[in-house]
Amino acid sequence: MQMSADGNKLLSSSVIALSVLFATTTLLAPVRPAFALSELKHEPGEVPQKPADGEKPAEAERAAPAVKEEEAAPVELPRPDPLIRNDKAVTEPAEETPATTDKPAEEPQAPVEVLYDIDKAPEPVRRMRQLIVEAAASGDIERLRPLLGKGMTETQVSMVESEDGPVETLKGQSGDPDGIEILAILLDVLATGFAHVGQGTADEMYVWPYFAEKPLTSLTPPEKVELLRIVTAGDYSDMQEFGSYNFYRVGITPDGQWKFFVTGE
């Protein structure tokens, strides 16, 4: 199909106008730098493409030092919080306080008043002691019966209750049927020094021998000699294990009542 001369001119004019417009647009557009493959951002899941064989990744090599500088920077750990804070509680654990017990501290034992002069004891005490010595020295244990009392004032002669009378109980404790051994022990006990205990209380007492009221660990050599006059070395060893004197002892109240004549604890 043939076009007229006017149509050809119109077409030529249109082509020239489009060419001028394209050239103008190209000149006015900002020049953008070309990016290396290594600098292009990849979409998630997209596998980065390797450079073709023989191609030098110049741009990647130029970017490498920046990465190394970042890797070379020292890694700093966060500093711990101060142990003492003005606005928070101390983070250190509190020191454990030692466990306390409810057991009260033992009070030091008061020194025992040891006496050897019987005249320092009240007259009722001296009289009762003298009567006991005379009865025991006679060798007749029945002479102790009136001194041992009855009922509420009966002298304690055993650590366990018994239906027997005090004289019968003492005979049972003796190594012979007549109670002679008990009378001899009674004389030996009353021949030692004595202790005055419980002053000013209802339990005030004069006790023979004083070993009964004094710790064995505090005995002096002369006092140990006195002790071994009435007990054997074996008895003394047993007492040390037990912790106190536990042989026969006599107690008389300030008003002259013979309170006890017992052995053991």
Side-chain angles (χ1 to χ4, degrees), residues 28-245:
L28 295 176
V31 180
R32 297 182 180 179
F35 293 96
L37 293 176
S38 61
E39 293 180 274
L40 295 177
K41 296 183 179 180
H42 302 282
E43 295 295 332
E46 182 180 358
V47 178
Q49 297 180 358
K50 297 182 179 179
D53 296 339
E55 182 181 354
K56 296 181 180 181
E59 297 296 334
E61 291 179 357
R62 285 195 295 269
V67 175
K68 290 182 178 180
E69 289 180 0
E70 293 180 359
E71 293 179 353
V75 179
E76 294 185 1
L77 296 176
R79 295 185 178 181
D81 294 336
L83 296 178
I84 300 177
R85 304 179 181 178
N86 295 329
D87 57 341
K88 295 183 179 180
V90 178
T91 58
E92 285 185 325
E95 295 183 357
E96 296 182 359
T97 55
T100 57
T101 58
D102 295 335
K103 184 178 179 181
E106 295 183 0
E107 296 181 359
Q109 187 174 0
V112 179
E113 182 184 359
V114 178
L115 304 171
Y116 287 92
D117 187 359
I118 189 60
D119 290 335
K120 293 184 178 180
E123 193 278 331
V125 175
R126 297 198 305 269
R127 177 170 173 75
M128 174 57 73
R129 175 186 174 278
Q130 184 61 33
L131 292 174
I132 296 172
V133 168
E134 291 175 357
S138 70
D140 184 3
I141 196 170
E142 286 294 333
R143 291 187 58 177
L144 293 179
R145 192 178 294 275
L147 304 177
L148 293 171
K150 294 181 180 180
M152 297 297 296
T153 60
E154 185 176 277
T155 303
Q156 180 184 3
V157 294
S158 176
M159 300 299 293
V160 296
E161 295 184 0
S162 174
E163 295 181 357
D164 297 333
V167 172
E168 289 71 25
T169 301
L170 290 175
K171 283 184 178 181
Q173 296 174 2
S174 182
D176 64 284
D178 298 325
I180 300 299
E181 181 186 30
I182 288 295
L183 296 177
I185 292 173
L186 185 56
L187 284 174
D188 287 341
V189 168
L190 290 175
T192 65
F194 57 99
H196 184 198
V197 298
Q199 294 92 324
T201 68
D203 298 325
E204 186 174 3
M205 197 88 59
Y206 291 84
V207 180
W208 285 260
Y210 62 87
F211 315 118
E213 301 295 333
K214 188 173 183 179
L216 294 180
T217 55
S218 66
L219 296 182
T220 64
E223 290 173 337
K224 291 178 181 179
V225 172
E226 287 187 85
L227 175 59
L228 292 177
R229 290 177 61 185
I230 58 177
V231 300
T232 65
D235 293 334
Y236 176 53
S237 178
D238 292 340
M239 290 177 189
Q240 287 179 308
E241 292 184 5
F242 181 75
S244 63
Y245 174 91

